[in-house]
Amino acid sequence: MSAFRQILKTETKLYLRDVPTVLAVVGIPVLVLVVLGLIPATREPNPDFDGQSFVTYFAPSLLVITLAVAAVNGLPTILATYRERGVLRRLATTPASPAALLAAHLVVTLVAILASAVLLVVVARLAFGVPLPKHPFGFAVALVVGTAALLALGLLVAALARTTRAAQAMAVPLFMVVMFFGGVYLPRFLLPDFLATVGEWTPPGVQALLDSWTGTAPQPLPLVIMAVIAVLAGTVAAKLFRWE
């Protein structure tokens, strides 16, 4: 078994043992969906949401919870902890390189995000009649570039933070900003127009997810912005990242 496969297997086991993180990434969005969906009024078409139900309108914001917890909060904290404890330094002297560890964490995080997204879409459809994404290709592209942007920002935090406490100090404000502009704390229709517009350009680009879910192809400009953020943040993180 190659060094990367062994690390991936080990990190997957460690990730699955961290029950609070797994529940936060996969379980919380579905739990919030179920709680909201059990309220009859949230399942009724509403002209304020272009004839959609509130559950349909709010579902993309629930995906933001998964993305923020996994990419912005979890990933940098784990990597900073490994650096602080000398795990990365010790790996640098073995065939199992730190780069392989970093790649393994990205794979595990991506799988967790995709599992949460699929579960959310399926539960929303089967339990509350929320239509499946009507523009599946656009939805997939929006999810991929939005996820890439947040993962790159998470890696940038991990590159800058030398300790676990420092990583958490930087990740928490970023987490709150992502959640706010993603419409989690306050549904986006209640935000002033200016803040709602800012949310369209803020990773993960929740409006693109909403548009593609409800049937409209996402606008290309926000997707381009997410891709640029991913490339820039990822490049800076790669230059600043230190294994010790």
Side-chain angles (χ1 to χ4, degrees):
M1 181 179 293
S2 67
F4 171 73
R5 289 177 60 189
Q6 184 60 49
I7 290 179
L8 179 59
K9 181 180 178 180
T10 301
E11 292 302 322
T12 301
K13 289 181 179 179
L14 292 174
Y15 190 88
L16 294 176
R17 289 175 184 173
D18 188 359
V19 177
T21 298
V22 174
L23 290 178
V25 172
V26 180
I28 288 180
V30 175
L31 177 61
V32 174
L33 173 71
V34 171
V35 171
L36 290 174
L38 292 177
I39 303 173
T42 64
R43 303 194 301 270
E44 298 296 328
N46 191 316
D48 292 335
F49 312 129
D50 297 326
Q52 309 167 70
S53 67
F54 176 76
V55 170
T56 300
Y57 175 86
F58 195 63
S61 291
L62 296 178
L63 277 176
V64 176
I65 299 176
T66 292
L67 297 172
V69 171
V72 175
N73 196 30
L75 182 63
T77 300
I78 293 173
L79 292 175
T81 300
Y82 280 8
R83 180 187 293 115
E84 186 177 16
R85 294 179 178 178
V87 174
L88 299 180
R89 183 177 63 252
R90 291 193 294 272
L91 278 175
T93 64
T94 71
S97 68
L101 176 67
L102 182 60
H105 273 286
L106 288 174
V107 170
V108 171
T109 303
L110 282 171
V111 170
I113 289 172
L114 291 176
S116 179
V118 170
L119 181 61
L120 182 70
V121 170
V122 171
V123 172
R125 174 58 180 168
L126 296 181
F128 306 111
V130 175
L132 296 174
K134 295 181 179 179
H135 200 288
F137 178 76
F139 182 79
V141 172
L143 182 61
V144 167
V145 296
T147 299
L150 286 183
L151 284 173
L153 291 174
L155 289 177
L156 181 58
V157 171
L160 295 172
R162 292 294 176 259
T163 64
T164 304
R165 183 171 296 181
Q168 293 172 340
M170 287 186 280
V172 168
L174 179 60
F175 175 84
M176 295 177 67
V177 168
V178 170
M179 295 279 277
F180 176 77
F181 285 112
V184 178
Y185 296 143
L186 192 67
R188 295 181 71 252
F189 76 95
L190 295 177
L191 295 175
D193 291 342
F194 169 73
L195 293 180
T197 301
V198 171
E200 295 181 18
W201 320 116
T202 302
V206 66
Q207 187 62 45
L209 293 171
L210 175 61
D211 288 343
S212 54
W213 195 322
T214 56
T216 303
Q219 296 298 313
L221 184 56
L223 299 181
V224 171
I225 291 175
M226 296 304 112
V228 170
I229 291 173
V231 172
L232 291 179
T235 301
V236 174
K239 290 183 177 297
L240 297 178
F241 204 94
R242 297 294 181 269
W243 303 116
E244 301 185 32

